């Protein structure tokens, strides 16, 4: 589960981009290969773009002008940048690391069940290369140690700071939805900010969002819906998020817009 990858994948699905996806074990790629995900590769122009935001702007310049009718208008609205969207963009990019660090505090706790993290990393996903899966399973103790150090998971004050950081964004999202009449965060039509927000918070709603993640193409995520080892803190947070307007908005977006392109 990679929220930046889901953001790009979701936008490409909305735009009906003809693409092929090569699945990798995220943690394996970062630690063993020194590369993050996602990458967008356009063989026609020999372009390789390794950041989800830059990949979206490339699609805005290259793909959207080829679209027709209502879909073209929706595609342009989806990727158009403004002062408001760029302010959200900056906050959400920083928010991703706060969410990761806060969740890993529980998922990578000393007595945590390895099965949970391995599923989130793709270690039990049939579409991920076998060598990546084996590397994750065999290297789990080392990966866990490296991740605990990288995210400073022994720092209780940092853990609370991360929580306060993304709860403040949730409060602002609730306020934005009320201001916009409950439609979207930045206006009447869907923008990349809405997709980014939903992709960021989706993994914290495993009982409802995980089955819809990537259009449900990753079968190994299904057990996360009711995994017996899911930390109590994450279950309680999901319950609280589902009661928020922004949590209900995330679930609505995944139900209504995750499995179809524009103008269909």
């Amino acid at each position: 589960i990679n929220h930046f990858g889901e953001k790009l994948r979701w936008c490409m699905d909305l735009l009906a981009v003809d693409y092929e996806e090569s699945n990798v074990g995220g943690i394996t790629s970062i630690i063993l290969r020194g590369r993050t995900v996602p990458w967008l590769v356009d063989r026609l122009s020999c372009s390789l773009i390794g950041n989800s935001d830059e990949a979206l702007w490339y699609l805005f310049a290259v793909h959207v002008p080829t679209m027709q009718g209502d879909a073209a208008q929706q595609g342009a609205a989806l990727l158009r940048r403004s002062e408001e969207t760029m302010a959200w963009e900056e906050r959400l990019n920083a928010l991703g690391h706060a969410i990761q660090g806060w969740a890993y505090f529980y998922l990578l706790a000393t007595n945590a069940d390895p099965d949970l993290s391995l599923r989130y990393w793709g270690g039990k996903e049939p579409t991920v290369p076998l060598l990546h899966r084996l590397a994750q399973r065999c290297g789990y103790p080392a990966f866990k140690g490296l991740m605990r150090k990288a995210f400073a998971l022994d720092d209780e004050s940092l853990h609370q700071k991360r929580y306060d950081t993304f709860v403040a964004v949730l409060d602002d999202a609730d306020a934005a939805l009320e201001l916009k009449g409950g439609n979207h965060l930045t206006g009447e039509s869907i923008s990349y900010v809405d997709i980014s927000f939903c992709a960021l918070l989706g993994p914290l709603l495993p009982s409802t969002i995980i089955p819809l993640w990537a259009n449900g193409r990753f079968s190994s995520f299904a057990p996360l819906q009711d995994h017996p080892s899911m930390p109590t803190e994450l279950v309680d947070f999901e319950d609280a998020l589902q009661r928020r307007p922004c949590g209900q908005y995330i679930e609505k977006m995944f139900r209504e817009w995750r499995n179809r392109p524009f103008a269909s």
Side-chain angles (χ1 to χ4, degrees):
I1 291 181
N2 176 275
H3 50 267
F4 294 119
E6 177 70 350
K7 174 178 73 174
L8 178 56
R9 182 194 297 120
W10 190 343
C11 286
M12 289 197 294
D13 288 341
L14 286 172
L15 298 172
V17 176
D18 183 16
Y19 71 94
E20 239 177 61
E21 185 171 18
S22 297
N23 299 317
V24 298
I27 189 70
T28 314
S29 294
I30 293 171
I31 293 179
L32 297 183
R33 302 174 66 191
R35 56 170 282 190
T36 58
V37 290
W39 279 16
L40 180 67
V41 180
D42 182 356
R43 294 185 177 87
L44 183 63
S45 62
C46 297
S47 302
L48 190 155
I49 306 169
N51 181 285
S52 60
D53 288 330
E54 278 69 21
L56 289 181
W57 316 145
Y58 181 80
L59 292 171
F60 188 34
V62 174
H63 179 76
V64 171
T66 70
M67 300 171 66
Q68 303 292 323
D70 292 340
Q73 295 180 19
Q74 290 175 296
L78 173 73
L79 299 183
R80 186 177 294 119
R81 301 173 92 184
S82 65
E83 288 187 10
E84 183 180 17
T85 65
M86 287 190 290
W88 272 105
E89 177 186 330
E90 184 176 359
R91 289 192 74 187
L92 293 179
N93 283 340
L95 178 66
H97 298 294
I99 291 176
Q100 284 177 313
W102 181 79
Y104 276 134
F105 182 88
Y106 304 108
L107 293 172
L108 296 178
T110 305
N111 60 345
D113 184 353
D115 185 72
L116 272 172
S117 293
L118 287 173
R119 288 186 183 278
Y120 275 111
W121 293 344
K124 299 196 172 182
E125 172 55 42
T127 65
V128 169
L130 178 60
L131 287 178
H132 286 215
R133 285 179 273 150
L134 291 175
Q136 288 188 7
R137 296 184 193 187
C138 295
Y140 173 80
F143 292 152
K144 177 178 179 178
L146 290 170
M147 293 288 283
R148 286 189 57 82
K149 184 176 181 180
F151 281 100
L153 297 184
D154 291 321
D155 190 333
E156 295 277 353
S157 62
L158 179 58
H159 178 64
Q160 184 61 45
K161 182 179 179 181
R162 285 168 171 155
Y163 178 79
D164 293 340
T165 295
F166 72 78
V167 167
V169 175
L170 297 182
D171 291 339
D172 289 345
D174 285 342
L177 288 171
E178 182 178 5
L179 180 65
K180 304 292 183 179
N183 292 322
H184 300 290
L185 293 174
T186 60
E188 289 295 321
S189 59
I190 296 173
S191 82
Y192 70 95
V193 166
D194 301 300
I195 303 302
S196 299
F197 180 78
C198 293
L200 271 170
L201 277 299
L204 296 180
L205 292 164
S207 66
T208 55
I209 298 306
I210 293 304
L212 305 175
W213 190 264
N215 282 329
R217 72 184 69 168
F218 300 135
S219 61
S220 65
F221 291 171
L224 292 172
Q225 297 177 62
D226 53 3
H227 199 288
S229 299
M230 187 66 71
T232 302
E233 294 84 355
L234 297 184
V235 174
D236 291 344
F237 181 82
E238 178 179 25
D239 291 341
L241 183 56
Q242 287 176 319
R243 291 192 293 271
R244 281 179 170 265
C246 65
Q248 295 165 18
Y249 173 71
I250 294 167
E251 294 182 339
K252 178 182 177 182
M253 282 288 290
F254 268 91
R255 286 196 311 268
E256 296 183 3
W257 285 104
R258 188 58 196 92
N259 62 351
R260 62 188 178 97
F262 283 139
S264 67

